[in-house]
Amino acid sequence: MENKILVTKSSMPPFEEYAEEIKSLWDTHILTNMGAKHRELEQELIRYLNVQNVSLMVNGHMALELAIQAMHLTGEVITTPFTFASTTHAIVRNGLTPVFCDIDPLTYTMDATKIEALITDKTSAIVPVHVYGNLCDVDKIKEIAEKYKLKVIYDAAHAFGESYRGRGVGSFGDASIFSFHATKVFHTIEGGAVCFADDAYGLDLYRLKNFGIRGQETVDSIGANAKMNEFQAAMGLCNLRYIGREIEKRKQVYEAYRKRLSGMDGLQLMTLQEDVAYNYAYFPVVFEQEAFGATRDMVSDALAKEHIFARKYFYPLTNAFDCYKDAYDANRTPVALSISKNVLTLPIYADLERETVERVCDVIVKMAKS
Ligand SMILES: *Cc1c(COP(=O)(O)O)cnc(C)c1O
């Protein structure tokens, strides 16, 4: 059977290198609880991400859930429905009410010009997402947050390693979270992190990820367990050595797609923002049925016939999920709804062969009207 091409493929460090990295664990028998690998990875990430503090977590979702919890918020949180389930769930699981803001039709991130109209006396925070590695309008969001005294927590799961005008993306807002899931640009198998500036907030996060245990006989808050273990941290240390090459190879795949697909009628490619150094994590294409001549679903099915599995990412919108649809109306975020119905993210990863990129493009080009 022909090999399946999935939307992404986890990068692996050389096996011997990982084996070497975890060898010391057989001497120390310290497998978790903020051991040596954990401390080393935190330091390496502070340097690489160009941020003040990093708190590692068991996964990206818990990073976000606890980052929100540590802010002690109440009431409503303005966020985007054009995201992974995790963003909305993290808000709701904190007992907060998400208020959905529509997105910008070019960057797919929260439309900052529409935030103020959604603010009420119950609003306590904004949780925007750097979708596909596009940077949110961080300057405008900061201005609004200061004016209304709101906290800002960025879901930066798509933006690992990126910078904006030379500043690490994790340094914006009161906190930013990353996901180190196996399918992300940088991974620790499962894993995540919160980046932040305020040391007091760091202590709150620490308590939340480790049962609120402060000393042998002192438990002074109601924490969960969200610790990253030493095997995860070791995978991170190995993968971090290759991250530059990874991103460079992804960039080449990205450019191969662009070369074939740009300028086609009814096919919108992502416009890269000038001031952002990208990680090339995703290659989204948005179809306009009339002009292109086929729907997103038709293209997705045609690719699947060739054993190429692109993803309808993000579809459905989170405000249209079965668990939220009775409380929300996705028609109130019309731009997000339209993008969500017409977007397809194409396979992209460092080792994706040029020949496969051409095969993907052949299918798309063949379906176009002209
Ligand atoms: C991957 C992802 C998460 C969750 O990360 P996990 O590490 O899988 O828990 C959150 N938000 C977005 C936008 C993501 O893509």
Side-chain angles (χ1 to χ4, degrees), residues 58-64 82-87 129-131 155-158 177-184 189-192 282 313-314:
V58 67
N59 58 47
H61 177 78
M62 287 311 289
L64 184 57
F82 191 70
T83 184
F84 185 52
S86 174
T87 320
V129 182
H130 300 308
V131 180
D155 181 337
H158 289 188
I177 73 95
F178 290 102
S179 162
F180 306 151
H181 185 259
T183 53
K184 301 280 161 52
I189 311 168
E190 291 262 8
Y282 300 91
Y313 197 59
F314 301 105

Side-chain angles (χ1 to χ4, degrees), residues 1 46 78 104 110 135 148 192-193 239 254 272 285 294 313 356 358:
M1 202 193 93
I46 285 171
I78 296 172
D104 177 272
M110 188 184 280
L135 210 84
Y148 294 92
N239 281 335
Y254 197 97
L272 296 186
V285 290
Y313 197 59
T356 312
E358 297 303 331

Side-chain angles (χ1 to χ4, degrees), residues 7 16 35 63 95 100 166 272 332 357 364:
V7 75
E16 294 72 22
F100 294 103
L272 296 186
R332 297 186 64 180
V357 172
I364 296 172

